[in-house]
Amino acid sequence: MSGLDDTHDPALRSWVESANDPATDFPIQNLPFARFRRAGSSEAWRIGVAIGDQVLDLCLAREQCSWGRVASAWLVPLAAGDLAAFMALGPGARRGLRAVLSVALREGSDRRAALEACLVPQSAAEFALPCRIGDYTDFYTGIHHATAVGKLFRPDNPLLPNYRWVPIGYHGRASSIVVSGTPVRRPLGQLKGPDDAAPHLAPTQRLDHELELGFLIGSGNAQGEPVPVTQAEDHWFGTVLLNDWSARDVQAWEYQPLGPFLSKNFATTISPWVVTPEALAPFRVAFERLAGDPQPLPYLDSPGNRAAGAFDIVLEVGLQTARMREAGLPHQRLMQSNFRDSYWTIAQLIAHHTVGGCNLGAGDLLGSGTQSGPGEGQGGSLLELTQGGRQPITLASGETRTFLQDGDSIELRAHCERPGARRIGFGCCEGHAIAAVKPL
Ligand code: CA
């Protein structure tokens, strides 16, 4: 399951000099995919691969070089901007293309002259969603988040008894998923304070973010045919950052008995870059249960999942208010956590999602749920960081926040690092709140 090969060699360098900067998210060991075009142009969307601060345009690269019969076939959908068609080919194509691109982008490659003309600075590119998102499911794998939020909503009964047995999730809304940089309009919803006789319609006063990862499905499964946990990762194409925007006051009133609805369905932001399982391979870690917790049922268990089914990914959230932006202050880091604390692994989520026969398809998206850490100050949402709005956060500008105000920008970031491996990152997932429409 280690999956390491020469594309992971930490000593590999690229002829794209910015990819050799130790601080870059996109060294030659990463090579994530995005759908992009030159900013302001009307050219067709195409798929690119990040290398340093550049994008390798696979539409141009297909024309500029000869790639051999097999790789040329892989490049056809990518040149046409159809990542889902490539995703549906499964892990073999993805691994094969990674090997080919790694060689082409290495120092000393004879393709350099041809491919130099296929680079676009990321700062001169605009990005779209990586593919059409088919169905979207949001899980709830952050046990520290589930416990903290459970305490706020149900002080005497924070973690329901099914949590340690079932990977909890709900079917979300795919139509309102947007790419990083898209403004998020403050939603209207039914609000009802504890002392109000009746609810009223108004813009949410408790707009919040949720720090999550999103897992894009590549090859699907047929309806009625569960995916065994041992094969589940073959259906996982890649990972993005995901912000599950949430209206906490709407949620508190509507969530029983069927769970979140309008409090979650107005917007979900994902990052443009899709980081592949191959890029994450050096950062696998053992999946372990806390002593005293039940072991997963057999359909959610395998030796491979136990040995290396979890991933060491550092996650963080930054906040920048409009006033901070005007003053030239960067996003202020609110917290950090790690995906290795997730209660379930990616393989378990896919195995569970399909065990009843549900079919997944290329471009389906599974959210991880909010990844809060075990410690104080590691909440992956403002709801947790402010104790349900009772303890405001003070920012570098002197402003305070409980929940988000119009003009506030939230930025999610993630990276992986360990001795003996090259550090990789996920880029950025940004969204900013804009004023609600006038109440109806
Ligand atoms: Ca969520």
Side-chain angles (χ1 to χ4, degrees), residues 70 74 86-100 219 233-234 236-237 278:
V70 177
W74 294 331
F86 178 73
M87 292 161 72
L89 298 176
R94 189 185 63 231
R95 289 180 195 133
L97 188 64
R98 172 181 172 88
V100 167
S219 53
E233 285 190 3
D234 289 346
W236 166 40
F237 180 82
E278 287 69 52

Side-chain angles (χ1 to χ4, degrees), residues 145-267:
H145 170 76
T147 306
V149 171
K151 266 183 200 153
L152 293 168
F153 282 88
R154 295 178 303 275
D156 48 345
N157 190 18
L159 202 62
L160 296 171
N162 58 4
Y163 189 87
R164 291 186 166 89
W165 295 97
V166 185
I168 301 289
Y170 67 96
H171 287 115
R173 186 74 200 167
S175 66
S176 53
I177 297 174
V178 295
V179 73
S180 176
T182 308
V184 171
R185 186 173 293 284
R186 179 178 298 276
L188 303 181
Q190 281 199 21
L191 312 184
K192 183 186 172 301
D195 302 323
D196 297 346
H200 64 287
L201 184 74
T204 177
Q205 299 304 299
R206 294 191 150 214
L207 182 62
D208 199 358
H209 65 268
E210 289 193 341
L211 168 62
E212 304 195 21
L213 290 174
F215 310 111
L216 283 165
I217 298 299
S219 53
N221 63 300
Q223 189 170 8
E225 295 182 13
V227 176
V229 69
T230 50
Q231 292 165 30
E233 285 190 3
D234 289 346
H235 297 265
W236 166 40
F237 180 82
T239 303
V240 293
L241 293 160
L242 186 153
N243 184 348
D244 176 21
W245 300 96
S246 300
R248 300 300 182 192
D249 37 13
V250 178
Q251 185 179 0
W253 169 234
E254 76 174 5
Y255 90 105
Q256 287 177 318
L258 284 184
F261 184 32
L262 270 64
S263 56
K264 301 278 192 174
N265 75 0
F266 57 95

Side-chain angles (χ1 to χ4, degrees), residues 206-436:
R206 294 191 150 214
L207 182 62
D208 199 358
H209 65 268
E210 289 193 341
L211 168 62
E212 304 195 21
L213 290 174
F215 310 111
L216 283 165
I217 298 299
S219 53
N221 63 300
Q223 189 170 8
E225 295 182 13
V227 176
V229 69
T230 50
Q231 292 165 30
E233 285 190 3
D234 289 346
H235 297 265
W236 166 40
F237 180 82
T239 303
V240 293
L241 293 160
L242 186 153
N243 184 348
D244 176 21
W245 300 96
S246 300
R248 300 300 182 192
D249 37 13
V250 178
Q251 185 179 0
W253 169 234
E254 76 174 5
Y255 90 105
Q256 287 177 318
L258 284 184
F261 184 32
L262 270 64
S263 56
K264 301 278 192 174
N265 75 0
F266 57 95
T268 302
T269 306
I270 64 172
S271 56
W273 293 110
V274 183
V275 176
T276 64
E278 287 69 52
L280 294 177
F283 309 101
R284 285 182 176 277
V285 290
F287 164 78
E288 287 161 341
R289 275 280 179 262
L290 299 166
D293 277 17
Q295 291 301 311
L297 291 179
Y299 80 97
L300 296 173
D301 186 28
S302 76
N305 189 63
R306 260 177 272 150
F311 289 87
D312 183 343
I313 305 174
V314 177
L315 308 165
E316 61 183 63
V317 175
L319 168 62
Q320 182 193 54
T321 66
R323 197 191 297 173
M324 291 166 73
R325 195 154 48 248
E326 281 154 22
L329 294 168
H331 284 74
Q332 178 170 333
R333 187 195 293 170
L334 299 181
M335 56 73 73
Q336 248 188 3
S337 65
N338 196 306
F339 183 57
R340 67 186 300 166
D341 292 323
S342 168
Y343 202 73
W344 301 101
T345 65
I346 299 160
Q348 288 170 325
L349 299 186
I350 292 171
H352 182 69
H353 204 303
T354 61
V355 74
C358 176
N359 44 327
L360 297 174
D364 282 1
L365 179 67
L366 310 184
S368 66
T370 308
Q371 299 299 305
S372 303
E376 189 116 338
Q378 286 192 289
S381 65
L382 288 169
L383 182 71
E384 292 157 86
L385 291 173
T386 67
Q387 297 292 317
R390 288 192 294 274
Q391 291 177 12
I393 294 167
T394 301
L395 299 166
S397 56
E399 297 167 281
T400 61
R401 284 293 182 275
T402 49
F403 293 97
L404 297 170
Q405 297 191 5
D406 294 343
D408 288 355
S409 164
I410 288 286
E411 188 179 84
L412 313 184
R413 288 185 178 273
H415 69 272
C416 304
E417 58 187 338
R418 71 162 175 82
R422 183 67 159 86
R423 177 197 184 279
I424 63 163
F426 282 68
C428 169
C429 176
E430 189 274 344
H432 46 280
I434 59 172

Side-chain angles (χ1 to χ4, degrees), residues 53-77:
D53 59 9
Q54 306 288 308
V55 192
L56 178 67
D57 180 335
L58 295 181
C59 183
L60 284 183
R62 176 172 173 259
E63 296 164 4
Q64 296 296 317
C65 285
S66 60
W67 294 97
R69 191 179 56 82
V70 177
S72 291
W74 294 331
L75 287 171
V76 171

